[in-house]
Amino acid sequence: ILNVEQSPQSLHVQEGDSTNFTCSFPSSNFYALHWYRWETAKSPEALFVMTLNGDEKKKGRISATLNTKEGYSYLYIKGSQPEDSATYLCAPPRGGSYIPTFGRGTSLIVHP
Amino acid sequence: SAVISQKPSRDICQRGTSLTIQCQVDSQVTMMFWYRQQPGQSLTLIATANQGSEATYESGFVIDKFPISRPNLTFSTLTVSNMSPEDSSIYLCSVLTGPAYEQYFGPGTRLTVT
């Protein structure tokens, strides 16, 4: 079983603050890492698929970086808004397969 | 992309009964999965639903408890059998598709067992 760690477990920020979370995973047998956003009562929404060491992807105010050699990925949110409140999940695949293995997620709450 | 629907969206069931959850995808996909999220936990893979053959179960999950059908490339069912309160979870159907193996999820089925 792949050991995926996400930190912090939860985060409260004020509207306008920028924030970031970490996803740590074993660096061997890496194929791709997925980031998802999961709002309450909705299904998880794919944010990024990252495959290459040094990858940096951006979607609006959200961006992510990947370091496969040291086994971590960062997700950044610039100028947080209340609608960013959600659980952010990272999922590197299990070694030898495409099937993502999920961390526990970081729960973000943005206060107006 | 893939659009996935699930039925029912939620249910409250009695201990000892069974519930079948349906998953419908708007396109043919090879890789389809069933996950659950118990309260306070991460998404846990139950099984890979294989078209035309028996599902592949993860450690800790067995066919007698979670029988799965996959009659074609757009549809699957998961049955939660002989339910107990510990089965109260959100159950999600998911597919991997596209050149980048993007993963898409259904809206989930929120199950409460009393």
Side-chain angles (χ1 to χ4, degrees):
Chain A
I1 295 177
L2 194 64
N3 188 22
V4 183
E5 298 287 338
Q6 287 191 251
S7 62
Q9 187 173 350
S10 66
L11 194 55
H12 290 251
V13 301
Q14 290 296 125
E15 182 175 356
D17 288 349
S18 293
T19 186
N20 66 86
F21 341 122
T22 305
C23 172
S24 302
F25 53 89
S27 55
S28 61
N29 297 320
F30 180 84
Y31 172 69
L33 182 139
H34 300 243
W35 277 102
Y36 298 87
R37 165 196 162 90
W38 194 4
E39 289 182 77
T40 304
K42 295 184 180 179
S43 54
E45 172 197 355
L47 290 174
F48 305 113
V49 179
M50 309 184 76
T51 56
L52 299 175
N53 184 45
D55 245 358
E56 182 169 345
K57 300 234 171 148
K58 189 173 180 182
K59 190 174 183 177
R61 292 179 291 100
I62 304 175
S63 60
T65 60
L66 177 66
N67 184 322
T68 60
K69 292 183 180 178
E70 296 182 35
Y72 64 84
S73 178
Y74 293 140
L75 188 79
Y76 301 90
I77 302 179
K78 185 178 178 182
S80 303
Q81 300 296 308
E83 56 266 30
D84 295 329
S85 298
T87 296
Y88 291 83
L89 298 166
C90 80
R94 294 188 299 194
S97 84
Y98 299 117
I99 303 172
T101 302
F102 287 87
R104 288 177 180 259
T106 293
S107 173
L108 173 66
I109 297 175
V110 182
H111 299 279
Chain B
S1 66
V3 177
I4 305 172
S5 59
Q6 278 185 239
K7 288 195 293 188
S9 59
R10 59 177 61 229
D11 208 340
I12 300 173
C13 299
Q14 299 267 356
R15 181 196 298 260
T17 62
S18 298
L19 176 72
T20 295
I21 303 168
Q22 297 180 6
C23 174
Q24 180 74 53
V25 189
D26 69 341
S27 58
Q28 293 188 336
V29 292
T30 304
M31 303 181 80
M32 185 180 280
F33 310 97
W34 286 98
Y35 288 85
R36 77 173 180 188
Q37 188 199 30
Q38 293 177 299
Q41 302 296 313
S42 183
L43 283 173
T44 302
L45 182 63
I46 298 172
T48 302
N50 301 309
Q51 192 264 329
S53 64
E54 196 170 282
T56 304
Y57 290 84
E58 298 298 303
S59 176
F61 298 95
V62 295
I63 188 171
D64 290 345
K65 175 68 176 176
F66 297 101
I68 287 171
S69 79
R70 178 94 192 265
N72 57 54
L73 292 176
T74 65
F75 184 79
S76 178
T77 66
L78 169 75
T79 299
V80 186
S81 303
N82 188 25
M83 287 183 283
S84 65
E86 293 71 39
D87 294 320
S88 298
S89 293
I90 300 173
Y91 290 84
L92 293 114
C93 170
S94 172
V95 301
L96 277 178
T97 189
Y101 289 92
E102 292 185 358
Q103 187 170 23
Y104 298 91
F105 288 87
T109 296
R110 185 178 293 271
L111 171 63
T112 303
V113 184
T114 60

